[in-house]
Amino acid sequence: MKHDVVKKAASIKKELIAWRRHIHKNPELSGMEKNTSAFVAKVLRQSGISVKTGIGGYGVVGLLKGKTKGPVIALRADMDALPVHEKNNVSYCSSIPGVMHACGHDVHIAVLLGAAGILSTFKDKLFGSVKFIFQPSEEKSPGGAEDMIKDGALMSPRPSAIVALHCFPEYPVGKAGIRYGVMTASADSFTVVIKGKGGHAARPHQAIDAIATASLAINAIHEIVGRKIDPTENAVISIGKITGGAARNVVADRVEFEGTIRTIDANLRKKIPSLIERTLRGVTYASKASYEFCYEKGCPSVINDKKLTDMVRRSAIEILGEKNVVIMEKAVMGAEDFSLFAEEVPGTLFRLGTGNAKKGAASCLHSSTFDVDEGCLTIGASLMAGMVVDFLSKGGLK
């Protein structure tokens, strides 16, 4: 049957490409996936799959029942785009200025729609059921996974496992990355407001410069990883936004900046907020300024279940060959709120190779020139559908 799955995936290559390009051309930001959601629901229904919409916002859940009762497995794809202006010169370039599928969620959607269509063709040979979860707001914190879970995405019926994939331009098309244990970092965020005293730029001694203080604070915060954390531990602190000041000849009385924190170790994750606040306290005291500090916990690390990852690896090897299934030695410092699904039921996230420099698909994720070799679509659909076949034929995880 695995051969039939791969053959069927190849036969719908044109549809997969058309779906992906339609979605790519019409991106929607987190929490605004109205048209994407409607498109997904339409395609699922055309495949004979029962559909529920409005789950945790614009979330969509499809259900395919097999020939007999049996275990239930869920497959998940995220649907939102990023606030990035696309610079690719392609026919399917984003039609929405400043919005782009720069993280490959268009690929994730098309692949899962393809897997759903393939599996519906073989539903009389499936011993169990499949849930197809299309999630909004993955790029936003808190992500849409939490809302979908609260709204019953994992209920009626409840899956005993869940699988997702993510584009990985570092691997060429035809390869997949598997990792046991921690796959991604946790992602928290923080906002800092530095408060000083405004004044004339020609008389800075009469003011308390919030910009100067903020610059000292930012540099000191960036030094936390290099000087306050064990070098053998993985951590990232990045500040991506700063606002402040009103005119070139006015000492600013207020500056606000925002950042993200990524960690692998749960204990280290707990320590970092106090390290940041201690740094802020010292810098602002020295400058006679004050500060406000807001720290928000985001999604935890994705921790791949061993048994499920074993199954995914065996299935991928059968389709791609052992040399093309890479065991990843290191976790990636990106984050994924798929982790919340994987905390509810055993889950695993794997990496789908999408790179091809000769076809212009070499840019990194979140880049304005990110694109993929669309050959990854049939491979991704084959892998997702093939894993379901293996899972249900073996009675689930045992």
Side-chain angles (χ1 to χ4, degrees):
M1 187 173 172
K2 190 72 67 69
H3 173 75
D4 294 332
V5 165
V6 175
K7 187 176 179 181
K8 180 63 178 176
S11 74
I12 62 170
K13 180 179 179 179
K14 289 184 179 179
E15 288 91 336
L16 289 167
I17 292 174
W19 294 336
R20 184 256 164 168
R21 291 187 177 187
H22 170 79
I23 296 162
H24 189 92
K25 196 170 184 176
N26 299 278
E28 294 175 299
L29 293 172
S30 302
M32 301 171 66
E33 306 92 339
K34 180 180 179 180
N35 294 327
T36 305
S37 173
F39 178 79
V40 165
K42 177 184 176 181
V43 175
L44 288 175
R45 290 190 178 108
Q46 288 172 344
S47 295
I49 293 169
S50 63
V51 175
K52 291 182 179 180
T53 59
I55 309 299
Y58 287 116
V60 179
V61 177
L63 178 63
L64 177 67
K65 294 182 179 180
K67 180 179 180 180
T68 63
K69 289 185 178 180
V72 181
I73 184 171
L75 305 178
R76 174 269 200 177
D78 34 15
M79 300 190 294
D80 52 333
L82 284 162
V84 173
H85 185 77
E86 183 162 13
K87 294 182 180 179
N88 290 315
N89 183 21
V90 291
S91 62
Y92 49 88
C93 183
S94 171
S95 62
I96 312 297
V99 183
M100 176 192 175
H101 273 292
C103 200
H105 294 184
D106 53 335
V107 171
H108 303 171
I109 297 168
V111 163
L112 192 49
L113 288 174
I118 293 167
L119 291 167
S120 68
T121 304
F122 302 113
K123 66 179 181 180
D124 291 337
K125 297 181 181 180
L126 299 178
F127 301 98
S129 299
V130 192
K131 298 191 84 167
F132 305 97
I133 298 175
F134 292 84
Q135 178 204 315
S137 300
E138 189 276 330
E139 298 289 356
K140 188 178 180 180
S141 182
E146 182 177 6
D147 289 336
M148 288 199 78
I149 292 167
K150 288 179 179 178
D151 216 4
L154 296 178
M155 304 303 293
S156 302
R158 186 172 179 82
S160 55
I162 186 167
V163 178
L165 59 74
H166 201 294
C167 291
F168 203 60
E170 288 88 341
Y171 289 167
V173 167
K175 288 188 180 290
I178 306 294
R179 179 167 167 79
Y180 291 88
V182 179
M183 170 59 96
T184 68
S186 61
D188 299 331
S189 60
F190 66 93
T191 300
V192 175
V193 177
I194 301 294
K195 296 180 179 181
K197 178 183 176 183
H200 199 294
R203 295 183 287 276
H205 61 289
Q206 294 176 350
I208 299 174
D209 192 338
I211 288 178
T213 304
S215 67
L216 292 171
I218 289 170
N219 286 331
I221 288 170
H222 278 153
E223 288 186 0
I224 288 174
V225 172
R227 289 293 177 264
K228 302 297 181 183
I229 293 174
D230 188 327
T232 63
E233 295 183 297
N234 293 324
V236 174
I237 302 177
S238 292
I239 293 165
K241 181 180 179 181
I242 180 169
T243 56
R248 70 181 69 182
N249 60 346
V250 177
V251 174
D253 63 353
R254 187 180 188 277
V255 170
E256 181 174 322
F257 58 88
E258 301 175 29
T260 183
I261 303 97
R262 309 298 172 98
T263 57
I264 298 297
D265 182 78
N267 289 325
L268 177 58
R269 186 186 186 192
K270 294 177 182 178
K271 294 178 184 177
I272 287 183
S274 61
L275 291 174
I276 294 176
E277 183 148 29
R278 188 170 70 186
T279 299
L280 291 169
R281 191 181 303 122
V283 170
T284 54
Y285 176 81
S287 301
K288 296 184 179 180
S290 62
Y291 72 92
E292 292 178 2
F293 176 52
C294 177
Y295 193 95
E296 296 183 9
K297 291 190 70 174
C299 61
S301 295
V302 172
I303 301 177
N304 286 341
D305 178 81
K306 185 181 185 304
K307 287 185 179 180
L308 186 59
T309 304
D310 277 336
M311 187 216 74
V312 168
R313 178 173 178 250
R314 289 193 298 268
S315 184
I317 287 173
E318 191 174 343
I319 292 173
L320 299 179
E322 189 164 7
K323 69 177 182 179
N324 291 317
V325 180
V326 180
I327 303 298
M328 301 175 69
E329 295 182 358
K330 297 179 180 180
V332 296
M333 296 307 289
E336 251 282 358
D337 72 347
F338 175 75
S339 57
L340 299 179
F341 288 116
E343 285 186 336
E344 295 288 323
V345 297
T348 194
L349 172 74
F350 69 95
R351 301 286 167 173
L352 177 68
T354 61
N356 187 333
K358 292 182 179 179
K359 292 186 176 182
S363 296
C364 64
L365 295 169
H366 291 211
S367 164
S368 60
T369 55
F370 175 75
D371 203 354
V372 303
D373 180 337
E374 291 176 322
C376 70
L377 298 172
T378 53
I379 294 171
S382 297
L383 290 173
M384 291 293 259
M387 292 165 190
V388 169
V389 170
D390 285 347
F391 183 88
L392 297 182
S393 66
K394 294 171 184 177
L397 291 178
K398 293 183 177 179

